[in-house]
Each structure stands twice: as structure tokens, then as C-alpha cells.
Amino acid sequence: EAGVAQSPRYKIIEKRQSVAFWCNPISGHATLYWYQQILGQGPKLLIQFQNNGVVDDSQLPKDRFSAERLKGVDSTLKIQPAKLEDSAVYLCASSSTVVQETQYFGPGTRLLVL
Amino acid sequence: AQSVAQPEDQVNVAEGNPLTVKCTYSVSGNPYLFWYVQYPNRGLQFLLKYITGDNLVKGSYGFEAEFNKSQTSFHLKKPSALVSDSALYFCAVRDMNTGFQKLVFGTGTRLLVSP
């Protein structure tokens, strides 16, 4: 079974530029998550989708971050404009809709904002 | 709101010795508890989880964890550490009573196993 795919793996941009990350979840997983992991911290949930609807985006900085999952499969997370403090690893995870099911994570995208 | 504490930034153990990585949690209802491991430049890999039932949970790579409701703890253990176990370990909790599947992670514990 293929795992969660993410691209790119690394990205370096200057502040005020925009950037987009892509995620393809495990086949058949209806729930998709984007997490931000700042160096030295645990992952923090940014947004959760169930199919193509948003379930929780309470910690997403909506003035600069946006995410979509138009067809209920793959997803894109965008930052525009980027700030220095956005430097982090962006992790995508997926799971089935069963509440106790495990979230499986992709390899992440490491973003450096200069 | 749920929270997780991992009181040790780093745990050092010699290869062959038993290891313990500590985790305590706080939720308003009943918890689902998870352990993940992260190797350098990799995503999080699932190790094990507690949902219900037996308090001792066995997972991947010889790891196990014990759920203790009275102490609100879920410590990760392994009887005999390997150098290859050196990595960053995260404990996470989900409140069973919430409608969402939001996981809250601890800050992580770095495990260093010396030869």
C-alpha cells in the first residue's frame, strides 16, 4: 500500500513570496490533515478535511494560509505572503473516518523563509 | 482542551538496556493515545496506540506502552534498546468525546542509544 505522498520535499523562499505544497493521501482515506512542525516542537494541526469539506481550521492563520481539497483526494496548502516565522516542516497525514483510526504521515516539506 | 506533556527533552540509554520515554496527558473525557517516532528528515511513523481494553499495548519494533488512568500516563518502553532506536519520539492524545479527530502532540523526546 502506497503511503502519503508530499512534494516538494524542500523549499527555500524569501519573505513575502508565496509557496504551495501538495499532498496525496493514502488511497481510500477520506480524512486529510495538514500539520506545521516548528523546530523543537511537536506537530500542530493547521486544517482537517473530511472528503472535500473543512472539519477544523481553527489554528490556520487565514490571513496568509489557505488550503483546498477540491475533489476529495489530493490537497494543496498555500502560504501568501510568507513570513520568517513560517519556516517549519509541513506534514500531511490521512486516516479513515473511523474515530479511533490511526493517522499516517507523509515525509513532510521543509520550508525555509529567508 | 487536551494536552500532552513529555517531561524529558532527551533520554540516554546504553544498547541492550531497557528504555522508558515518559508521557502524561490531560483530556476532559476518555483518551485515545498514540506514540510516533520521527527519524531525521522523515515524517512521523506510527508505533502504537491505546484505544480501549488491555492497559499494556504492544507495537512495532518491540516497543510497548502502558496506559495508567489513575496517573494519566502512557509511557513508552522497550526491554532492550538498539542503537537504531535513536530518534525523536512523540506522544499524542485525542479526546474520545470530541467529534473531531484532532491529535495534540507533545514536544517530543530525543532518545539516544549508545553502543
Side-chain angles (χ1 to χ4, degrees):
Chain A
E1 178 182 85
V4 177
Q6 289 188 248
S7 66
R9 292 295 311 277
Y10 305 92
K11 191 73 177 179
I12 301 174
I13 62 172
E14 295 189 350
K15 60 183 179 183
R16 291 187 290 274
Q17 286 187 324
S18 62
V19 64
F21 313 127
W22 175 83
C23 172
N24 193 41
I26 292 172
S27 178
H29 279 186
T31 309
L32 184 147
Y33 315 78
W34 283 103
Y35 287 85
Q36 181 191 57
Q37 185 180 16
I38 293 173
L39 188 64
Q41 299 181 18
K44 182 187 80 173
L45 181 69
L46 292 175
I47 189 167
Q48 176 184 340
F49 292 94
Q50 184 152 321
N51 297 307
N52 59 352
V54 175
V55 174
D56 183 357
D57 63 356
S58 57
Q59 298 192 89
L60 186 73
K62 298 180 186 63
D63 57 335
R64 298 183 301 105
F65 285 65
S66 65
E68 59 184 15
R69 193 185 185 200
L70 294 176
K71 297 182 179 179
V73 180
D74 56 349
S75 175
T76 303
L77 177 69
K78 296 179 181 178
I79 307 175
Q80 182 180 8
K83 293 185 175 181
L84 297 178
E85 58 262 36
D86 298 332
S87 294
V89 176
Y90 291 85
L91 295 164
C92 180
S94 71
S95 71
S96 72
T97 54
V98 179
V99 172
Q100 65 265 37
E101 274 303 303
T102 301
Q103 294 181 24
Y104 294 95
F105 286 78
T109 296
R110 185 175 297 274
L111 173 67
L112 179 60
V113 182
L114 301 175
Chain B
Q2 61 256 47
S3 65
V4 171
Q6 293 183 243
E8 303 155 317
D9 289 336
Q10 183 163 312
V11 170
N12 298 304
V13 64
E15 188 173 33
N17 283 358
L19 69 87
T20 299
V21 182
K22 295 179 180 177
C23 171
T24 59
Y25 66 90
S26 174
V27 295
S28 57
N30 292 313
Y32 293 138
L33 292 155
F34 299 78
W35 276 102
Y36 286 85
V37 60
Q38 187 173 38
Y39 296 97
N41 300 316
R42 303 280 293 275
L44 276 69
Q45 294 180 34
F46 168 71
L47 279 179
L48 51 79
K49 65 182 178 184
Y50 171 81
I51 302 299
T52 187
D54 194 349
N55 289 343
L56 185 63
V57 178
K58 294 188 182 296
S60 306
Y61 313 120
F63 284 93
E64 58 188 28
E66 186 167 12
F67 171 64
N68 187 317
K69 188 172 184 178
S70 63
Q71 297 185 4
T72 62
S73 67
F74 190 55
H75 301 331
L76 182 70
K77 300 181 180 183
K78 187 173 183 181
S80 178
L82 299 172
V83 172
S84 57
D85 293 329
S86 298
L88 190 55
Y89 290 80
F90 288 96
C91 182
V93 67
R94 178 190 306 157
D95 190 331
M96 195 186 298
N97 295 341
T98 66
F100 303 146
Q101 296 173 278
K102 178 180 177 178
L103 271 181
V104 173
F105 286 83
T107 53
T109 298
R110 187 165 302 280
L111 174 66
L112 183 60
V113 182
S114 55

